């Protein structure tokens, strides 16, 4: 199954000498869904109990390759999901997803 969506990157930028600001930018990527699994875990909230154990493979463009440590979330089926693991299998990045991303 093919995938197209955005990956959120947390980048720190210096706004003035010695003052850094945390910014999240999104970049669009194409890839393949390698596995599609949904797990429900007991909890008090409906969304909190859902996690994905999906793996998505993307082609590592120069930005993604140099910013692996900054990847926060990936959009899949209209929702932002936490990135839990990234396997580097150059030229591809295999991204594992976890629970719903709730921001900073």
């Amino acid at each position: 199954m093919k995938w197209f969506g955005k990956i959120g990157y947390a980048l720190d930028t210096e706004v003035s000498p010695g003052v850094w600001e945390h910014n999240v930018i999104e970049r669009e990527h194409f890839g393949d869904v390698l596995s599609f699994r949904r797990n429900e875990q007991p909890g008090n909230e409906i969304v909190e109990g859902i996690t994905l154990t999906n793996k998505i493979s993307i082609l590592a463009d120069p930005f993604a390759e140099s910013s692996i440590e900054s990847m926060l979330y990936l959009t899949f089926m209209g929702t932002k999901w936490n990135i839990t693991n990234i396997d580097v299998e150059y030229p591809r990045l295999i991204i594992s997803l976890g629970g719903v991303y709730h921001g900073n």
Side-chain angles (χ1 to χ4, degrees):
M1 178 165 122
K2 297 293 182 188
W3 169 82
F4 173 76
K6 295 180 180 180
I7 295 178
Y9 296 84
L11 301 175
D12 291 326
T13 53
E14 191 170 19
V15 292
S16 62
V19 178
W20 293 81
E21 190 174 274
H22 183 73
N23 294 309
V24 176
I25 64 160
E26 293 184 330
R27 295 190 45 117
E28 294 179 336
H29 293 275
F30 289 93
D32 298 303
V33 177
L34 302 180
S35 66
F36 183 65
R37 296 185 187 111
R38 176 184 165 191
N39 296 328
E40 291 187 40
Q41 306 199 2
N44 294 335
E45 296 185 31
I46 295 171
V47 176
E48 287 291 332
I50 299 172
T51 60
L52 294 184
T53 55
N54 294 2
K55 289 188 177 186
I56 295 177
S57 171
I58 67 166
L59 192 60
D61 64 19
F63 182 84
E65 187 177 353
S66 67
S67 304
I68 291 172
E69 74 285 348
S70 300
M71 290 182 178
L72 289 176
Y73 63 84
L74 181 146
T75 58
F76 183 73
M77 298 180 68
T79 302
K80 295 176 182 176
W81 298 92
N82 288 315
I83 294 175
T84 58
N85 190 53
I86 302 171
D87 294 320
V88 179
E89 296 180 12
Y90 192 77
R92 302 195 74 78
L93 300 176
I94 312 300
I95 301 171
S96 299
L97 304 180
V100 174
Y101 175 77
H102 293 290
N104 298 338

